[in-house]
Amino acid sequence: MSVEMVELSVKAAEPLRPAGNLQQNRVFLDFFWDLAKPDQEVRLKAVENLIQYLKTNNKEDELEYTFKRLVDGLAHTRETARPGFSLALGQVLSAFEDVSLQSILNRIKEKHNLQGAKKKFSRNAMFGNLFGVLALHQSNRLSKEPQVVLGCVQLLQSLSQHKQHLKDLPTKTMMDILAEVPEEVFEEVLMGALQTDLESAFRTPEQLQLLLVALQRFPQTLKPKKLKKLLGSSTIINADNIPKITEVLKTAAHAVKKERILPAVVLDLLKLSLKEDSFELFWNKAITDGMLKEQPGPTHYMSFRLLGSTLPLLSAAQLKDVLSGEVMMNYGEHVVSAQKPDRFKLAPEMDVFVSDFLEGCQDSDKQLAVMVGFSSLTNRGYPVVPSVWKVVQHLQPAALQGYVEWLKDIFLQPQLDKLLDISTHKKKDSKGGQDQKEESVFRLRKWIVSRLASIIDNHQVKKQEDLIMDVARFVFFHAFFSAKKASADISETKTKLSVPIDDKTRAVLVNSFFGLLLSMHHMPLTEDATEGAAVSQKRVLGVTADGTMWIYHLVQYAQALLNQPKHVQSSQPFSPEQRQAWDSMLESVANLKKKAKKSQTAESSAFQQLFLLVGMHLFKAPEELLDIMKDLQSCMEKAQEKKAKKKKKKEATEQEEPEWVEVMVDILLSLLSQQSRHIRQVCKTVFSSICPHVTAAALTAILDVLDPEKDDEEDAAVVVEDDSNATQKKKTNEEDDEEDDEEMEDDKSDESDDDDDDDEDDDSEDEAMEEEEGEDEKMDEEPVDQNFRMELMKVLQQKNALATVEDASSDEDLDDEAMMELDKSLSALFSEQKKKLQAKKDEKTKLQKEKTLVREFKIKVLDLIEVFVARQAGSPLVLGLVEPLLAIIERGMSSGSDQQEQDFLRRTADIFRNHLCRSKVYCRTAGDRQGELHDLLEKLVTKSQKLSDSSVSLYYFSASLYVVKVLRGAPPAETTEEQADLKFMGNVDVDRVSTIFRNALCSFMSRRKSPLTAQMFIDLFVRFPVLCVKLLDTAVQNITSGVREHQQGQACVLVLRAMQSREVQQQLSGPQWTELCEKVKGQLAASLRQVGHAESKVVKEKAVKTLELCQFIVKHVRQQKLSVDLEPLQQVLQSLTSVIAFKKTGKLEDTYWAVMKHFGVTKPKAEKTKPEKETEQESGPAKKKGFLPETKKRKKRNKPVLEPAAGNTASTDKPGTEKGQGKKKQDKKNKQKRPNGGATASQPNPAKKSKTESESKAAKKKKKPKQKKEGGGQM
């Protein structure tokens, strides 16, 4: 605003308006201040209010002043203010059309004259002119005054010379003006002014852009004849102009290097080439032969951006040509090389271009051409676009169908020569051509399988059920079968493989198929199927439109393949026994479907899923799952027989519970050992359906797996079962699943640049050497094997190579043959020793893997426990989970701290605390187990007192509260009286339970290191007020008898929480409550008398807790008008000020005065001045900040020192003199230390530190108080 103030002062003499009126109108002047504010909302509001004000008042002097201020503000020094003034000027000109634009343009030229402006303000003047023209343009009146248009264009032409400040803003403004000017005005007025710019169009990108805009707006004026006069040719894009255009494009590319955008002139040129039918010339000569011949950088990136931007403008044929040309090849090389860190990556931008094109394009042919073009860009067979490419969700159904067919065709008959392959890796020269081709085919097929799976997995993709089933059948067929002869019934046999599927590809197919199964298990209904469904209908997953499960369709397809051995061959044929298991599985599923038609239940659906899933896994691991399939079938038969018997007899006792449940649980545990997320989810679903039938033995079988004490026994069993295959499976699954996503990144990072390969090889060799050296060092660190030492000694002695005392002086050496034999013997010995060490290392690794497998298995088994607790929370069997879960938690707290162990512990603790103890549903039929539950309660509370870890003790204490809740049960519905509800404890033996918790409370109060905490007993008091009343006397006694101040303070907390409880007050109403208040009052008085002069934190905390209880007692007694004598308590409280040094503020002080307020004693106001001076003098040296001159310090210090020194012995004077002598140097040191806030003043004097060691400690102690007195007199 300084510039404006100067300008206003310069023109103050001009007779613009009566100064007095405007000075009085602060509202009007504030508009101009708001226009300069940085907040855009404030500026827009100011523009709106200013126009409204001017229209309402309609005063000429105010309008004149407005134009002056707005024109002045165009060159404001603040960047955010210029657009505000420019916008305001444009809007005011638009509102007051009687004001001439020419007058405003003249005012702008006069005010912001570049020739007359000082060098310091020339930049502001440039912006003033530019924003002035923008304001005139925003008024929407330029077309009505042609001469003003000409003036604006000429002004902008003069501004375009100052590119260092304005860049291309003047040219862009000219283009905006041309876009609104009529053709007549352009031809009559502007053509002459722009003649020079148009003739030099190929000089700069801005001038070429101006020509292109003029061509678009005024085609009648700039006809081919006119163009020939201007440029020498009737068209812009021709063979003669291509070199000039290329240079302009390079300039434009480098100009936007930092902005990373596509210049508008480039896209306009491409549109013009399409219009002039010269697209191929422009693309091949200007882009391919021009831009791409430069070094990789801005010109390449601009070409890639042009490729993405031009997709919506081209026809299908042109798309195919462009996407198979040099630009795509260079783009692929960029994607591969850009995977290294700190490299610019253009792939995200290209993804946006492709996504926008597919979303806006409705032509399926064009969509398919783009998808095929980008998928054909490969690196050693592996496409550079990710296998999970989200742009596919915008494809039309026809384009998606065509894309899937293309992927399948490429899988069956890989034609690598038709793909755009960028092989930049040097290693291709070292491999044979056939090996490289096989590797490329494997990589391509692997990507295609992942691509197909990701299409099905993405729920955003619009796909039909036929397409989903087609992909699933294709993957399944090639994972487990191969075609012998074409069959009309099986479409997968019609096309033969040009390259056979190898084992690696088959493994990828198998894993992808079971991933597809999981995706289909969670797949919602397609859009067509959901259109007719009711809105309120529950969302169904994993089924087709007719309600059949996806996996059932695939099982039927598998059965059709197995029934046609002439046409189809299995890669792993079933044995007769396995085929029988498959057939019986189909029969069981058929029976379940028949029963489901009569009464559809979740149980039958879950069992169908389990049968079908195990059946599909027979193709993957038939030997492992054969026994499981047999057990599953016999188990189902027994379950159905049991249900039939129940229907007939209706007399089932607990002893007659079906044994099939135990077998079923064993089956589920066996299936959980498989490394499959799908199996895990289905097992969880099946178990939730059989939860009502689970017996104690079945639950014990699950708990035995989790039992920490049986780890050694169970580890052996589980590991033997799963080590050979499960470890392998886990490794294969994880590698294959992750490799699908990471393959591209690995390839790109490994193959990015030819020049880096040798360095990487050298690095890998160096790393290998370092690893070997590290292993050797580890071997050296290990204790020497005595057996190995003995063997080495024997070898040396046999070859006479071991020096002895007798032949030590001999000069004879071994001959060559003997040395060779010795070398062989030593080599054999050391290689054998190395094998032994490696075997030990492998054994250790194997044990670690087995441990990891077992822990993963246990985490899965926790799923069953969680389901059982959630579904059967009211079952008596849940009580049997308490101790096993606590044992797991206790063991986990003391075991290893690796992540997997922590996850297992966290999951167990969550199930115990949130699903079991805090569940609103609990067992209410425990009446016949009272004795057992009371014993369990006592055991839990006793154990909680003996533990060393307080966190584990909390879990045991929470379990005891859960047992009390179970024993109490729910109150009977008939009782409506509040008292009856309050005292209801169900089957709880109140006296016994009270004794148990009382002993625990006494233990907490009497032990210095108790794992119990006050919060545990607070939870007990809140949840069970009856027990709270029983334990209240014990808590009151410990206010004074607690073993330490901490326990006494916690006793106060417990009593306070208990007395605040509404239920406790209702139970102890009347004389009992008065008696309790009397007891508490007496204990509080006795406790406050015990408070000593100690200033420790513990004592103060105890005092705060005691005072809080005092506050409640005093307030309650006064409110209820109880007959309790508070006089002794008041006396003790009043004497407390002499014991504890109260500060001005703090929790202790505030609580104390809050208590005393009930006695009518208020906190005294600090008005006395004398004590303040004394305290200032006493605390003077401690709070000394800053320095006085040295002479003053000496005078002030020496006066008080002489008086006490006169009565002392000579021995005390000597330190004093030492102190005085050392002070000069110390003051210099203190000046350096002063930034610490004057802390050095309270530290002992350095002269005292320099005393010899012969001085006694007693002398030092005597001297310290004296120094304090001396320090107090210094000030």
Side-chain angles (χ1 to χ4, degrees):
M1 295 304 293
S2 58
V3 177
E4 292 182 22
M5 298 303 293
V6 170
E7 292 163 354
L8 284 175
S9 63
V10 170
K11 296 192 176 184
E14 295 180 11
L16 293 173
R17 75 273 184 264
N21 294 339
L22 282 176
Q23 285 176 355
Q24 292 175 0
N25 192 351
R26 291 297 308 165
V27 177
F28 175 63
L29 295 177
D30 283 344
F31 295 146
F32 304 103
W33 286 92
D34 288 343
L35 286 174
K37 294 283 180 65
D39 189 358
Q40 185 177 357
E41 295 296 327
V42 175
R43 296 201 302 268
L44 293 175
K45 191 70 176 173
V47 172
E48 184 181 344
N49 292 338
L50 174 63
I51 294 170
Q52 186 67 31
Y53 177 86
L54 292 172
K55 285 182 177 180
T56 305
N57 290 0
N58 198 14
K59 294 181 179 178
E60 291 186 9
D61 59 341
E62 288 182 343
L63 185 61
E64 180 67 23
Y65 180 75
T66 298
F67 284 125
K68 179 191 177 303
R69 284 294 300 268
L70 293 180
V71 171
D72 290 350
L74 295 173
H76 203 289
T77 53
R78 192 185 299 162
E79 290 183 6
T80 55
R82 296 171 197 150
F85 283 101
S86 176
L87 177 64
L89 179 58
Q91 296 300 315
V92 171
L93 288 172
S94 179
F96 296 91
E97 295 188 1
D98 54 336
V99 179
S100 169
L101 293 183
Q102 186 65 51
S103 63
I104 301 300
L105 179 61
N106 295 337
R107 189 186 288 240
I108 292 170
K109 288 180 179 179
E110 181 185 352
K111 176 63 186 174
H112 307 299
N113 188 1
L114 291 176
Q115 283 73 25
K118 294 182 180 179
K119 187 176 182 181
K120 183 179 180 181
F121 299 111
S122 61
R123 184 174 183 273
N124 292 342
M126 294 176 200
F127 278 107
N129 283 304
L130 177 66
F131 280 104
V133 175
L134 284 173
L136 296 173
H137 172 59
Q138 288 170 350
S139 68
N140 298 323
R141 293 170 49 195
L142 270 180
S143 57
K144 300 176 183 178
E145 299 186 31
Q147 292 305 315
V148 178
V149 175
L150 179 62
C152 288
V153 169
Q154 290 172 342
L155 184 56
L156 290 172
Q157 285 176 324
S158 65
L159 291 175
S160 61
Q161 302 170 8
H162 306 283
K163 285 189 177 181
Q164 70 272 24
H165 297 301
L166 303 177
K167 296 183 180 179
D168 59 346
L169 290 175
T171 310
K172 286 184 176 178
T173 309
M174 270 194 277
M175 287 185 275
D176 291 340
I177 292 174
L178 288 181
E180 294 185 6
V181 170
E183 191 157 1
E184 298 80 15
V185 175
F186 174 76
E187 187 175 359
E188 296 172 4
V189 179
L190 294 181
M191 189 64 192
L194 295 174
Q195 182 89 16
T196 308
D197 286 327
L198 295 177
E199 286 176 352
S200 57
F202 295 120
R203 187 178 298 171
T204 63
E206 292 80 14
Q207 289 172 322
L208 181 57
Q209 176 74 2
L210 189 65
L211 173 63
L212 296 176
V213 171
L215 272 173
Q216 290 174 5
R217 283 283 298 144
F218 316 114
Q220 298 301 321
T221 304
L222 294 173
K223 290 181 178 179
K225 290 182 180 180
K226 187 69 176 177
L227 278 179
K228 193 161 187 178
K229 286 183 181 180
L230 289 172
L231 304 173
S233 61
S234 57
T235 57
I236 302 292
I237 299 172
N238 52 53
D240 297 333
N241 290 339
I242 284 294
K244 302 174 188 176
I245 292 173
T246 304
E247 292 303 318
V248 171
L249 292 180
K250 289 177 183 177
T251 307
H254 288 282
V256 296
K257 182 179 178 181
K258 292 183 180 179
E259 289 80 2
R260 295 179 177 177
I261 57 172
L262 179 69
V265 65
V266 184
L267 192 59
D268 287 345
L269 269 174
L270 186 132
K271 292 177 180 176
L272 183 64
S273 71
L274 291 169
K275 186 177 179 182
E276 294 182 351
D277 199 17
S278 56
F279 170 74
E280 290 183 7
L281 175 66
F282 172 74
W283 189 262
N284 294 330
K285 297 299 180 181
I287 303 299
T288 304
D289 295 340
M291 306 294 285
L292 295 181
K293 296 303 178 185
E294 297 286 312
Q295 288 294 320
T299 55
H300 283 230
Y301 300 148
M302 193 186 78
S303 302
F304 303 152
R305 292 189 180 101
L306 181 61
L307 172 67
S309 302
T310 195
L311 294 177
L313 307 174
L314 303 181
S315 63
Q318 289 172 330
L319 282 172
K320 288 178 183 178
D321 291 339
V322 167
L323 295 176
S324 60
E326 283 296 319
V327 178
M328 277 295 282
M329 288 287 285
N330 281 269
Y331 172 69
E333 290 175 6
H334 159 76
V335 173
V336 172
S337 62
Q339 290 305 312
K340 285 199 168 185
D342 303 327
R343 294 274 183 94
F344 170 66
K345 299 174 178 61
L346 195 128
E349 293 183 43
M350 188 62 77
D351 288 349
V352 174
F353 284 129
V354 176
S355 180
D356 291 345
F357 163 72
L358 294 176
E359 191 174 7
C361 177
Q362 302 300 319
D363 189 341
S364 300
D365 294 336
K366 287 186 178 182
Q367 287 187 334
L368 181 59
V370 169
M371 290 303 299
V372 169
F374 277 94
S375 301
S376 301
L377 186 60
T378 61
N379 174 29
R380 289 193 303 126
Y382 203 93
V384 298
V385 293
S387 59
V388 184
W389 205 20
K390 291 184 179 179
V391 299
V392 76
Q393 68 193 31
H394 301 304
L395 288 179
Q396 298 292 323
L400 181 63
Q401 182 69 45
Y403 183 52
V404 169
E405 291 298 330
W406 179 83
L407 290 172
K408 287 161 59 178
D409 291 341
I410 293 294
F411 181 92
L412 295 171
Q413 296 178 339
Q415 296 176 340
L416 299 178
D417 54 338
K418 291 188 177 180
L419 301 176
L420 278 179
D421 196 76
I422 44 166
S423 298
T424 58
H425 214 283
K426 274 186 178 180
K427 292 182 180 178
K428 71 173 184 178
D429 299 331
S430 61
K431 290 185 177 182
Q434 186 61 28
D435 293 341
Q436 184 190 352
K437 183 179 179 183
E438 290 177 1
E439 180 68 17
S440 297
V441 168
F442 164 70
R443 288 159 58 83
L444 177 62
R445 282 176 167 172
K446 183 178 180 180
W447 183 89
I448 290 172
V449 173
S450 301
R451 170 83 279 194
L452 289 171
S454 68
I455 290 174
I456 304 303
D457 194 35
N458 189 349
H459 295 164
Q460 302 296 324
V461 178
K462 303 168 187 173
K463 48 189 178 289
Q464 306 296 326
E465 288 186 353
D466 293 341
L467 178 69
I468 299 168
M469 197 64 207
D470 186 36
V471 171
R473 284 167 52 133
F474 179 82
V475 176
F476 175 75
F477 179 84
H478 293 289
F480 301 110
F481 293 91
S482 57
K484 285 174 153 185
K485 193 165 58 172
S487 170
D489 299 333
I490 304 170
S491 58
E492 285 73 22
T493 60
K494 293 177 181 177
T495 308
K496 290 186 177 181
L497 293 163
S498 62
V499 180
I501 296 176
D502 58 359
D503 293 338
K504 288 195 298 182
T505 308
R506 206 173 288 281
V508 172
L509 283 162
V510 169
N511 286 315
S512 295
F513 172 71
F514 286 105
L516 268 179
L517 271 186
L518 180 61
S519 300
M520 295 164 82
H521 178 64
H522 293 291
M523 187 178 294
L525 289 172
T526 56
E527 290 185 1
D528 297 338
T530 52
E531 283 177 3
V535 179
S536 60
Q537 189 175 351
K538 187 179 178 182
R539 192 183 182 199
V540 184
L541 301 178
V543 297
T544 57
D546 60 356
T548 309
M549 287 183 285
W550 283 106
I551 191 171
Y552 182 71
H553 286 293
L554 288 169
V555 167
Q556 286 182 321
Y557 176 64
Q559 175 67 4
L561 293 178
L562 291 172
N563 289 336
Q564 294 201 16
K566 293 181 180 180
H567 299 89
V568 174
Q569 181 181 0
S570 174
S571 59
Q572 192 176 359
F574 282 168
S575 65
E577 193 177 7
Q578 292 164 358
R579 182 57 193 265
Q580 184 183 356
W582 170 266
D583 292 336
S584 58
M585 178 272 294
L586 291 176
E587 188 180 344
S588 300
V589 171
N591 293 334
L592 284 170
K593 287 182 77 68
K594 286 179 184 177
K595 292 185 178 180
K597 288 179 181 178
K598 298 177 183 177
S599 58
Q600 179 69 32
T601 61
E603 184 178 347
S604 66
S605 175
F607 274 107
Q608 283 184 56
Q609 280 187 7
L610 186 60
F611 268 113
L612 295 169
L613 187 57
V614 174
M616 294 307 280
H617 274 269
L618 276 175
F619 288 97
K620 183 179 180 182
E623 295 176 1
E624 294 176 28
L625 295 172
L626 182 61
D627 293 335
I628 293 177
M629 180 65 82
K630 290 179 181 178
D631 293 340
L632 190 59
Q633 286 160 354
S634 61
C635 176
M636 273 302 300
E637 291 170 3
K638 289 182 181 178
Q640 289 168 0
E641 289 174 8
K642 192 68 189 178
K643 289 180 181 178
K645 288 179 183 177
K646 277 190 173 184
K647 285 181 182 178
K648 291 178 183 176
K649 296 182 179 180
K650 296 183 181 180
E651 295 177 356
T653 61
E654 286 187 3
Q655 294 177 354
E656 293 177 350
E657 282 294 325
E659 296 178 0
W660 63 269
V661 176
E662 298 163 25
V663 180
M664 194 69 196
V665 167
D666 288 337
I667 292 170
L668 294 179
L669 292 175
S670 301
L671 288 173
L672 284 175
S673 65
Q674 300 288 323
Q675 297 294 322
S676 168
R677 196 163 46 145
H678 194 181
I679 287 182
R680 181 179 179 181
Q681 292 180 353
V682 172
C683 286
K684 196 173 177 181
T685 307
V686 171
F687 185 75
S688 66
S689 65
I690 65 169
C691 269
H693 309 292
V694 169
T695 62
L699 198 58
T700 304
I702 298 173
L703 293 173
D704 285 345
V705 176
L706 301 172
D707 191 356
E709 296 177 1
K710 297 184 180 180
D711 261 353
D712 298 334
E713 303 169 13
E714 292 297 327
D715 284 0
V718 173
V719 169
V720 168
E721 194 174 297
D722 292 335
D723 180 47
S724 60
N725 45 45
T727 311
Q728 186 75 25
K729 283 177 198 167
K730 179 194 170 193
K731 186 177 179 184
T732 307
N733 278 342
E734 289 181 354
E735 284 180 358
D736 289 335
D737 291 344
E738 293 172 3
E739 211 172 346
D740 290 342
D741 298 328
E742 297 175 3
E743 176 73 28
M744 194 61 231
E745 295 178 9
D746 295 341
D747 291 334
K748 291 168 186 171
S749 59
D750 289 345
E751 302 156 12
S752 56
D753 283 320
D754 294 341
D755 300 334
D756 297 337
D757 291 334
D758 297 333
D759 298 337
E760 289 175 6
D761 294 339
D762 295 340
D763 294 341
S764 62
E765 288 175 10
D766 294 340
E767 289 173 7
M769 290 293 291
E770 288 174 7
E771 288 177 4
E772 288 179 8
E773 290 174 6
E775 289 178 3
D776 293 340
E777 289 175 5
K778 288 180 182 177
M779 289 172 64
D780 294 340
E781 291 172 4
E782 290 179 359
V784 179
D785 187 356
Q786 294 299 325
N787 294 330
F788 174 65
R789 184 195 289 270
M790 295 299 295
E791 292 291 332
L792 184 60
M793 295 285 286
K794 284 179 185 178
V795 171
L796 294 173
Q797 286 173 356
Q798 286 172 4
K799 305 299 178 184
N800 295 324
L802 193 63
T804 60
V805 179
E806 296 175 359
D807 61 0
S809 60
S810 176
D811 294 331
E812 295 180 3
D813 292 331
L814 294 173
D815 57 7
D816 291 343
E817 292 182 5
M819 286 296 291
M820 291 295 290
E821 290 181 8
L822 178 62
D823 286 345
K824 288 179 182 178
S825 302
L826 290 175
S827 176
L829 182 63
F830 276 101
S831 64
E832 186 180 351
Q833 178 66 11
K834 192 172 183 180
K835 287 179 183 176
K836 288 181 182 178
L837 292 175
Q838 187 62 36
K840 285 183 181 178
K841 189 178 178 182
D842 293 343
E843 184 66 23
K844 189 176 180 182
T845 307
K846 181 182 175 184
L847 290 173
Q848 186 63 35
K849 285 182 179 178
E850 289 175 355
K851 188 178 179 183
T852 304
L853 257 179
V854 172
R855 185 62 65 207
E856 283 182 357
F857 175 59
K858 289 187 175 184
I859 291 174
K860 293 178 189 176
V861 173
L862 280 178
D863 288 348
L864 306 184
I865 297 292
E866 183 178 5
V867 168
F868 186 78
V869 171
R871 296 293 299 272
Q872 296 295 113
S875 169
L877 294 176
V878 172
L879 298 172
L881 297 175
V882 173
E883 288 186 282
L885 291 177
L886 286 172
I888 295 170
I889 293 170
E890 185 179 357
R891 172 77 174 268
M893 289 287 193
S894 58
S895 62
S897 58
D898 62 309
Q899 186 61 42
Q900 197 184 34
E901 188 74 31
Q902 292 297 316
D903 292 341
F904 177 65
L905 175 62
R906 194 178 297 110
R907 182 91 188 282
T908 309
D910 177 68
I911 292 171
F912 179 79
R913 182 176 61 246
N914 297 326
H915 295 81
L916 182 64
C917 293
R918 295 182 181 173
S919 175
K920 294 182 180 180
V921 181
Y922 54 89
C923 176
R924 307 197 179 192
T925 58
D928 54 340
R929 301 175 61 186
Q930 294 180 30
E932 181 186 344
L933 289 176
H934 280 92
D935 293 340
L936 175 62
L937 173 64
E938 187 169 2
K939 183 179 178 182
L940 292 172
V941 177
T942 307
K943 184 71 180 286
S944 67
Q945 301 171 46
K946 296 178 180 178
L947 293 167
S948 57
D949 192 346
S950 181
S951 58
V952 181
S953 178
L954 174 61
Y955 285 104
Y956 274 88
F957 201 87
S958 299
S960 67
L961 297 184
Y962 171 72
V963 174
V964 175
K965 180 172 77 171
V966 171
L967 280 168
R968 182 183 64 177
E974 297 82 19
T975 55
T976 55
E977 298 179 6
E978 292 185 3
Q979 293 295 329
D981 288 342
L982 287 171
K983 294 186 177 180
F984 172 78
M985 287 301 285
N987 297 318
V988 178
D989 185 348
V990 177
D991 295 333
R992 181 180 176 183
V993 174
S994 301
T995 305
I996 293 170
F997 283 111
R998 187 179 294 111
N999 294 336
L1001 182 58
C1002 292
S1003 170
F1004 169 57
M1005 292 295 174
S1006 59
R1007 287 174 60 187
R1008 287 181 175 271
K1009 291 184 179 180
S1010 174
L1012 303 176
T1013 61
Q1015 188 59 44
M1016 298 179 187
F1017 292 99
I1018 290 173
D1019 291 342
L1020 172 67
F1021 288 3
V1022 170
R1023 293 173 65 179
F1024 306 107
V1026 174
L1027 298 178
C1028 173
V1029 172
K1030 296 286 184 181
L1031 300 181
L1032 202 49
D1033 288 341
T1034 307
V1036 172
Q1037 290 173 7
N1038 282 285
I1039 292 176
T1040 54
S1041 61
V1043 67
R1044 290 187 303 175
E1045 286 83 358
H1046 173 71
Q1047 276 81 356
Q1048 295 173 11
Q1050 295 302 316
C1052 292
V1053 173
L1054 292 177
V1055 174
L1056 176 60
R1057 291 297 297 270
M1059 296 185 73
Q1060 285 175 338
S1061 171
R1062 193 174 177 184
E1063 293 82 0
V1064 173
Q1065 292 178 11
Q1066 291 174 354
Q1067 288 187 58
L1068 293 176
S1069 58
Q1072 290 180 330
W1073 183 253
T1074 306
E1075 184 183 352
L1076 175 63
C1077 292
E1078 188 69 42
K1079 277 185 187 177
V1080 174
K1081 184 257 312 181
Q1083 289 290 91
L1084 288 174
S1087 176
L1088 290 172
R1089 291 190 192 98
Q1090 294 176 1
V1091 177
H1093 290 274
E1095 294 290 326
S1096 67
K1097 184 179 178 181
V1098 179
V1099 174
K1100 288 187 176 180
E1101 284 181 357
K1102 176 203 166 182
V1104 170
K1105 305 275 193 303
T1106 309
L1107 289 171
E1108 286 174 351
L1109 182 55
C1110 285
Q1111 183 180 1
F1112 173 79
I1113 288 292
V1114 175
K1115 182 179 178 182
H1116 190 76
V1117 168
R1118 292 288 171 89
Q1119 285 180 348
Q1120 302 295 327
K1121 298 181 180 179
L1122 302 177
S1123 57
V1124 178
D1125 185 15
L1126 297 176
E1127 187 66 28
L1129 185 60
Q1130 182 179 0
Q1131 293 174 359
V1132 176
L1133 287 168
Q1134 287 175 341
S1135 65
L1136 206 60
T1137 51
S1138 61
V1139 177
I1140 300 176
F1142 287 115
K1143 299 176 184 177
K1144 288 183 179 179
T1145 184
K1147 191 173 183 180
L1148 177 62
E1149 292 74 17
D1150 295 343
T1151 311
Y1152 174 78
W1153 292 114
V1155 177
M1156 296 306 294
K1157 190 174 182 181
H1158 293 292
F1159 292 109
V1161 180
T1162 57
K1163 184 177 180 179
K1165 295 181 181 179
E1167 294 179 354
K1168 296 181 181 179
T1169 54
K1170 227 174 186 179
E1172 286 181 4
K1173 288 182 180 178
E1174 290 174 5
T1175 54
E1176 282 177 8
Q1177 288 177 356
E1178 288 176 5
S1179 62
K1183 296 182 180 178
K1184 186 169 69 173
K1185 297 178 182 177
F1187 290 93
L1188 290 172
E1190 296 294 329
T1191 52
K1192 291 187 179 181
K1193 280 190 177 180
R1194 285 172 186 157
K1195 290 175 184 177
K1196 292 280 184 182
R1197 183 179 71 248
N1198 291 339
K1199 285 181 182 179
V1201 168
L1202 294 174
E1203 294 178 6
N1208 290 340
T1209 60
S1211 61
T1212 57
D1213 291 335
K1214 190 172 182 181
T1217 57
E1218 286 176 3
K1219 180 180 175 183
Q1221 290 169 357
K1223 189 66 180 176
K1224 293 179 182 178
K1225 295 179 181 178
Q1226 180 62 22
D1227 286 338
K1228 293 178 182 177
K1229 293 178 183 177
N1230 281 348
K1231 288 179 182 178
Q1232 298 173 354
K1233 296 180 183 180
R1234 185 55 52 188
N1236 292 337
T1240 53
S1242 61
Q1243 296 176 355
N1245 199 297
K1248 185 180 157 195
K1249 290 182 182 178
S1250 65
K1251 288 196 285 186
T1252 59
E1253 292 180 3
S1254 59
E1255 288 180 345
S1256 64
K1257 294 180 181 178
K1260 291 179 184 177
K1261 289 179 182 177
K1262 288 179 183 178
K1263 189 169 181 291
K1264 283 179 183 176
K1266 179 181 174 183
Q1267 286 176 351
K1268 286 181 182 177
K1269 290 179 183 177
E1270 291 169 359
Q1274 285 176 13
M1275 297 302 291

